[in-house]
Amino acid sequence: MRILVTGGTGQLGRPVVESLRAAGEEVRVLSRKAGPDTVPGDLRTGRGIDSAVAGVDVVVHCATDFFGRETQLARTLVEAARWAGGPHIVYVSIVGVDRVPLGYYRAKHAAEEFFAASGLPYTIQRATQFHGLVRGLLAGATRLPVVPVPRISFQPVDVRDVARRLTALALADPAGRVADFGGPEILTATELAQAVGEASGRFRRIVPLKVPGETFRAYADGGHLAPGHREGVLTFREYLTGRDRM
Ligand SMILES: NC(=O)c1ccc[n+]([C@@H]2O[C@H](COP(=O)([O-])OP(=O)(O)OC[C@H]3O[C@@H](n4cnc5c(N)ncnc54)[C@H](OP(=O)(O)O)[C@@H]3O)[C@@H](O)[C@H]2O)c1
């Protein structure tokens, strides 16, 4: 199959490209920047998108906009896909986009609804937080003498596990919104910060804090978790120490 990966230069997109190529598929990587292994295009302005999408059977849409323009990216992609004869669009979303009242999540949920109403063949895969994001959030665990962490839990998942799942979806028939995909463990932010500290060899005092506000209440209630879906294989500690079982 001929497959376009938007966001193929990103944290998730890179292993998606690797996984699809390992499966023998012909992959195009979209990027706003020119490069030897990329096709140029910008989903915000539409520049280059028609030719990037032309002739592909599937688009794995990993590109994202953290500044509220997620639907704009989706709209550009859908218009080009209609013009190109309607390839299958596989969209990556986040567990809890309809439960956690965060602007970025609202935009992702609106984009999900936009793809579902587009009339194009589509699959939506929601995943829990990536290991890299959780490590980034807790990076203070290696720098500060005392590390304040919110009293919430995470279910971090490895991007290579998500990439394998997206590969299977891209090679299958369009399936609408499929079951959530989550990491193997649910751990408190305190446990995760301890793991970050241990992996770096620097031990800090970790202080769990209750954070006010409806967004943190939604996180504290587990709106971003998928306890019934622990399909990811790699644990957070394995990710931190590079001891993976892939
Ligand atoms: N991070 C998490 O914990 C998490 C969890 C679940 C789901 N997700 C979802 O997974 C997807 C990938 O996330 P990520 O963390 O891998 O993102 P990322 O590393 O920040 O990569 C973002 C990608 O989007 C591309 N991009 C941004 N604006 C673009 C535009 N206007 N036109 C074309 N491409 C554009 C960038 O490509 P260039 O810079 O090369 O143009 C880049 O490859 C997102 O949809 C995200 O919501 C993330």
Side-chain angles (χ1 to χ4, degrees):
M1 275 207 263
R2 212 175 281 165
I3 302 174
L4 176 71
V5 181
T6 76
T9 57
Q11 191 184 186
L12 172 64
R14 282 192 304 270
V16 168
V17 170
E18 259 174 47
S19 167
L20 287 167
R21 285 191 173 143
E25 307 305 330
E26 186 184 325
V27 180
R28 274 183 212 166
V29 178
L30 182 78
S31 176
R32 288 165 297 177
K33 298 159 224 134
D37 189 35
T38 57
V39 295
D42 188 330
L43 285 162
R44 196 167 61 76
T45 64
R47 170 186 60 88
I49 301 304
D50 284 347
S51 44
V53 176
V56 302
D57 305 295
V58 182
V59 180
V60 182
H61 182 39
C62 300
T64 192
D65 184 292
F66 297 105
F67 307 103
R69 294 176 298 224
E70 192 77 4
T71 318
Q72 194 178 331
L73 269 51
R75 190 171 300 119
T76 310
L77 181 57
V78 162
E79 278 168 17
R82 284 198 186 117
W83 185 250
H88 172 196
I89 295 181
V90 179
Y91 178 54
V92 191
S93 189
I94 307 173
V95 170
V97 285
D98 48 352
R99 295 192 293 252
V100 177
L102 203 63
Y104 179 60
Y105 279 28
R106 286 197 186 104
K108 298 276 310 175
H109 191 216
E112 285 185 356
E113 293 185 330
F114 185 76
F115 284 119
S118 69
L120 291 170
Y122 75 96
T123 301
I124 294 170
Q125 176 67 70
R126 292 182 179 178
T128 54
Q129 277 66 46
F130 300 159
H131 286 146
L133 177 85
V134 172
R135 183 178 59 178
L137 290 174
L138 300 170
T142 63
R143 291 199 292 266
L144 303 169
V146 174
V147 186
V149 297
R151 248 183 233 281
I152 59 178
S153 296
F154 289 98
Q155 187 180 351
V157 69
D158 198 273
V159 285
R160 289 162 289 181
D161 285 330
V162 181
R164 278 191 292 126
R165 171 78 176 145
L166 292 174
T167 297
L169 294 173
L171 304 185
D173 289 337
R177 195 183 135 206
V178 296
D180 292 348
F181 190 90
E185 301 173 314
I186 297 177
L187 299 168
T188 63
T190 302
E191 291 168 319
L192 292 160
Q194 272 160 353
V196 171
E198 281 164 27
S200 70
R202 294 183 210 159
F203 297 90
R204 304 287 186 252
R205 194 158 80 85
I206 294 159
V207 183
L209 293 179
K210 198 166 171 204
V211 184
E214 57 167 351
T215 301
F216 273 93
R217 200 163 43 247
Y219 277 118
D221 290 345
H224 60 309
L225 304 177
H229 295 281
R230 299 175 188 240
E231 294 83 2
V233 175
L234 270 172
T235 67
F236 188 61
R237 278 177 197 275
E238 285 168 332
Y239 159 79
L240 289 174
T241 58
R243 273 201 319 265
D244 35 56
R245 293 181 255 149
M246 307 298 283

